[in-house]
């Protein structure tokens, strides 16, 4: 390998969701996280930017049906896949986001195109797909993103919702909650990555199919700047997963990086963010946080979180 000289040792951290990951999905999650770390870190080692590394790591997990991103994502209440993704460059604060896209295999690549080629920051729905197509991405049929496992999940979720409603009587607010909003059955399988490259630049990326049985058009925290994803060289890079509505209301990604900027170590800021999510709004989820000196934080209040780190000392993968 050509020797690349680094100002600072590169670090990559990825997650593949925080929820009650069933025993048969533990290994697929472990493998998926390991693949994403290997691909993203190989780029960092060759001198690529943190933006390239997080985009590549997230694209690997979008391609992996184990996760709620790209093909294999949770379905909307009308049986479609609608995807959201955000990418952010901590050196410049440039960002690109897409939401409610139904015809893109890798929404994180569309987010990158938005960041690099548009004067705007965020596109939704048909406009996002048209922008991606204009810049060379193929548009696919939504059915190519839908898999049988998720058709079954949706049917189970809708049956459960019907039974709960019958037992309780009408309640417009809780009837509109996605099934995954109820603790215990929560499926939060969003993917994300944060990286520090050899030039000392941070980046973050998050990609999701959202929550199971969500209403069409619903956008969660994952692709919203400062909610499920944020990066700023002057503070930290963050990616979250979990029940999106409480995370959005707390602008929790920005809350966490601001803590790091004020001097809290990332490990402590990650724990504090998840504690705040729970105590303020009863929310649940997981977080990965990376400071400008390469210090890593992670925390979750779900039974498991799939995540891992890659540094010069090697790779560590956890489904803890
Ligand atoms: N945070 C995502 C959302 O609410 C779901 C997840 O993390 O799996 O859309």
């Amino acid at each position: 390998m050509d020797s690349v000289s680094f100002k600072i040792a590169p670090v990559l951290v990825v997650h593949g969701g925080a929820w009650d990951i069933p025993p048969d999905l533990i290994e697929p999650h472990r493998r998926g996280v390991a693949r994403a770390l290997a691909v993203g870190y190989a780029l960092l080692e060759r001198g690529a930017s943190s933006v390239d590394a997080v985009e590549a790591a997230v694209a690997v997990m979008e391609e992996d049906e184990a996760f709620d991103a790209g093909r294999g994502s949770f379905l909307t209440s009308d049986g479609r896949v609608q995807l959201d993704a955000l990418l952010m460059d901590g050196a410049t604060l440039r960002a690109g986001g897409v939401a409610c896209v139904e015809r893109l295999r890798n929404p994180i690549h569309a987010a990158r195109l938005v960041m690099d080629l548009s004067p705007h920051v965020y596109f939704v729905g048909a406009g996002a797909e048209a922008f991606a197509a204009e810049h060379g991405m193929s548009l696919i049929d939504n059915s190519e993103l839908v898999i049988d496992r998720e058709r079954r999940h949706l049917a189970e979720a809708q049956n459960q919702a019907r039974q709960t409603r019958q037992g309780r009587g009408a309640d417009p607010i809780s009837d509109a909650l996605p099934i995954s909003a109820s603790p215990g059955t929560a499926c939060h399988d969003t993917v994300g990555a944060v990286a520090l490259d050899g030039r000392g630049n941070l980046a973050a990326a998050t990609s999701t199919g959202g929550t199971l049985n969500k209403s069409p058009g619903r956008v969660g925290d994952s692709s919203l700047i400062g909610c499920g994803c944020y990066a700023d060289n002057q503070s930290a890079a963050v990616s979250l997963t979990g029940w999106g509505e409480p995370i959005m209301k707390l602008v929790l990604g920005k809350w966490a990086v601001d803590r790091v900027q004020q001097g809290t170590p990332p490990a402590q800021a990650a724990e504090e963010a998840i504690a705040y999510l729970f105590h303020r709004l009863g929310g649940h989820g997981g977080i990965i946080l990376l400071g400008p000196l390469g210090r890593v934080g992670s925390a979750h209040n779900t039974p498991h979180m799939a995540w891992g780190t890659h540094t010069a000392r090697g790779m560590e993968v956890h489904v803890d």
Side-chain angles (χ1 to χ4, degrees), residues 51-126:
V51 171
D52 288 340
V54 294
E55 180 188 5
V58 163
V60 167
M61 292 189 282
E62 287 177 337
E63 288 292 334
D64 187 332
E65 289 176 17
F67 302 107
D68 176 33
R71 182 175 150 83
S73 286
F74 295 136
L75 302 182
T76 55
S77 56
D78 62 354
R80 303 171 71 77
V81 165
Q82 278 191 345
L83 303 168
D84 311 330
L86 183 81
L87 183 69
M88 187 153 179
D89 176 359
T92 59
L93 301 192
R94 288 183 314 138
V98 295
C100 292
V101 292
E102 298 191 347
R103 304 186 59 203
L104 298 172
R105 217 184 149 87
N106 291 108
I108 199 65
H109 293 327
R112 176 73 188 261
L113 290 171
V114 171
M115 186 177 96
D116 285 350
L117 302 176
S118 169
H120 308 306
V121 168
Y122 205 97
F123 284 75
V124 299

Side-chain angles (χ1 to χ4, degrees), residues 68 187-190 208 210-211 218 220-222 241-244:
D68 176 33
C187 305
H188 295 304
D189 230 0
T190 291
T208 190
T211 46
R218 176 264 188 192
D221 63 301
S222 308
T241 176
W243 180 13

Side-chain angles (χ1 to χ4, degrees), residues 210-244:
T211 46
L212 174 59
N213 198 31
K214 68 183 179 181
S215 300
R218 176 264 188 192
V219 178
D221 63 301
S222 308
S223 66
L224 300 184
I225 295 178
C227 297
C229 186
Y230 197 76
D232 182 350
N233 280 3
Q234 294 183 10
S235 54
V238 66
S239 174
L240 283 123
T241 176
W243 180 13

